[in-house]
Structures are given as structure tokens and as C-alpha cells.
Amino acid sequence: MSSGRRSGARRLALALALAALSACTSQGGAAAPPEDAAGGLAAPTPSAPDEELGEDTDSEAAAAGEQEVSPPPYTPRPEDLVEPRQPIEDPSGEALAHFYDALARTDAGAPELTRVAHFGDSSIGLDGLPHAIRKRMQARFGDGGAGFVLIHEYSRNVSSRVVKRRAGEGWNTCYIAYDCKKDGEYGYGGHVFQGGRGAVSEIATLDRGDLSTSASRLELWYAAWPRGGRASLQVDGAAPVVLETRADALEDRWHEIDLDAGPHKVTLRGEGQGTLRAYGLVLEEDGPGVVWDTMSMIGAFTRRLFLFSPNHIARQVAHRDPHLIVFNYGGNDLRRFVSRGVSPERFKEEMRVAYQKIRAGKPEASCLVVSVIDHGRSGIRTVEARHVDAVVDAQREVAFELGCGFFNSLEAMGGPRSIYKWRAARPTLASPDLKHLSERGRDLMGGMIYEALVAGYVAHRRAAASPPA
């Protein structure tokens, strides 16, 4: 689909969403004020009349005697009326407005997707925590599909809950934590996969379950460069699309294919004399629905995000167009607090630089910082409560400074030393290493984050539907 077709579809989606929201007597909403590039609120601007609808705002205002019209009422669904164990902290009250407004359009049935980009370290490894949130979001607001996935499962620590990936062959993997690309162009997910003739990966929608069993759009994320070869992209055994990836200079590229909604299998091969440089695939539906992308960076410090070329990662994020960006780091940084390898002030500056580099691709997107969980150990070192408190305090301070929401995972677990209680629970909720959650623990934490998001969504919708003071 061309960019023109996509923008036209988005305008149509917006018109349909506004119509649905206006006509519905049980739901309503209002768009959040725009944010500036630093994440703060920009000065409000007057609404422009819709020329296509021939709206005469002056005559209508005069006829109405300049009286303000209240927005339509909003009645939450019964299942949305939850009391979260740990609410999202947001002093501004607007940190997640862009996300909630997109979710409201999706909730009203607009044929568009609400996208979330979830960046983190091993706390989101194996797609555990993100999938715990994703499956609840998609069950409630609609299944938008698998979203962005890596093309090669090169390690048992890199997996996806939303696609089937057959073991690839012939790929050389460069992962951002290893500082292996001096150009800083690691793609959206922090991984570069390079392969020549014989390199192959096979990715398919799930064949069982209620979610991620269908896709109506495929997109290959790759790079053109002077040493580029050819990419062969085959869907369901049909004739492959062959892409030339040789170019005079390194540049980002994307190739999109519209599909009939349903199950699909995609095969990517490297061909020719050069080397294919690929980042990942997108498999998603037309909407309405939610897509929750996982960018897991095992073993990475927050500062590893410095290694992204700023222009490159901004282009990658802008192209993906997320409504919410989640940052979920800190577990590896905790080791530096224990060893006194970093001061709280230095760590806060690292977060500022790292988070803003990712957000530069879409400054108006909502932002959520998820704190580190309680730890008993980090690496070979014993972690004390004061170390965890120091990391959480720093993460909260920077989140508020940058206009982000903050979810306190430590408090959600029960406070300092709660990792031992989670480990002692039966069935256990924490891993034996005392620094990761078990499968059940990740699902429990994901459920708490989901409830916090839904409670915030209801509060946002109610505030938008309230008459002006």
C-alpha cells in the first residue's frame, strides 16, 4: 500500500471514528491537546472547520447563541471498571492521552490500529510480560495481529508468542548490546540480520488459539547498501517478490504487501552475490485492534540505546507510528548501583538521552516507564533494598520530567524484599535467580499493568466526556 493510500485510509478511519463517537449515546471521547517535541503540552490551537463537510461554524455558533455544547456521554463497559492494584502515576494527567485517544477510536470500531512499542531488557525477554498485556488488550479491543517480529530466532532467549518461526539458516546476527555496527543502524528491534545466497527464514501466523492467527498486511523492514544482494519474499508458496537491495549508500527501506485476511506463511531468502541486510517483518490486520510490538534487548543497560544512530532510529519509529512507547529497563543497571559503577545522577542523565532518542521519531506519542522489579541478586552480587529503591526513584523522576507515565513494579509486587515472597509462592512467581519473574509471575505483572492502563483509559474517557468547568 502506498503512503498516499495509507494516509487516505487514516483520514477515512478518523472520519468514521468521529462519526461513531458522535452518534453513540453510550460512549464518547475527545482528542488530547498536542505535545511538543520535549513531551510537554503545546499551546492549544483553535479547531479548523471541516471543509469537506461544508461546516459553517460561525452561523452555527450564532444560532446556538454561542452556547457550549457538552460532549456525548460515556458509559464504561462493566469489565473496564477495575480497581488496579498499582495505578499508573501521572502528575500531568496527560502522559497517556495520545494512546487513550487512539484506543477510544479503536474501541468505537474505527478501521485502524492502536500500536504500542515496548522496549526493554530481559524483563521482557521471551515476550513474556508484553504478551501478558497484549493478549488482554487484544481480547478487549481487537486483535491487530502479530506486529513487528524479528526474522530469525537466533537464541533461545529471543522468542515470540505471536508467530511461528522455523529455525533460520545462513544468517549473521548483529545485536545492539554488542556494539557491532559502527553505523548505528540496528533497525527498529535492535538487531541486524545479514545473509547471502542460502540464507532463509520462515515466519507464519499462529495456527491455534484466538489471537494472531490472521494477517492482512505484510511489511519487510530492510536496508539498501553498497554490498546489498537481493531479497526474495514469498507468501504462501506463490511466486516470490524479488527486491534489489544494492544502493550507493546505506538507507532504510520497507516493502509492503496487501494480503487476503487469514493465515499466512512468509519465506524470506537472500539471493545474488551480495548480502541482504534485514531487520524484521510486520504482520498485522487492518483494524480495529491493538498491536503490541516487543523489542527485547537481553542483558542491555539503558545506555545501550545510545548506540542507535539518532536519525536512523527516529526514521524507524516514525515509520512504525506507535501511539505509546514503553521503556522497561533497569535490571542490568541495578548491578552498577550495587558495584557503585554509576551514580543516581549519571543514571538519570543516561535515561534522559536514551528515552529521548527513541521518542524523537514520534514526539507526540504517549510514553510509559515501567520500573525495575524487586531483586535479590544482580549477576553475582547481592542486591539490597536501598539499591532497588535508588533505581526506582531515578526512573520515576525522569519519567515525570519527560512527561511520561510511571508504573511502579516494585510497589506492585509488594515493596522491598517482595521478590522472596514471590519466589516462595506456590506456584512460584519468581525465578531462582531472584532477578526475573517466572512465567506465572510475568502474567500476573502483565495483568496488573493492563488493569492500570484500562483504569486510566476509563478516567480519560470520563474526563473528556465531562462538561467544561
Side-chain angles (χ1 to χ4, degrees), residues 53-78:
L53 298 181
E55 182 176 306
D56 187 351
T57 53
D58 292 336
S59 60
E60 288 181 1
E66 300 293 343
Q67 294 180 357
E68 295 198 24
V69 179
S70 299
Y74 164 67
T75 302
R77 292 191 183 190

Side-chain angles (χ1 to χ4, degrees), residues 113 134 163 241 268 288:
L113 297 175
R134 177 195 297 124
V163 292
V241 174
L268 176 66

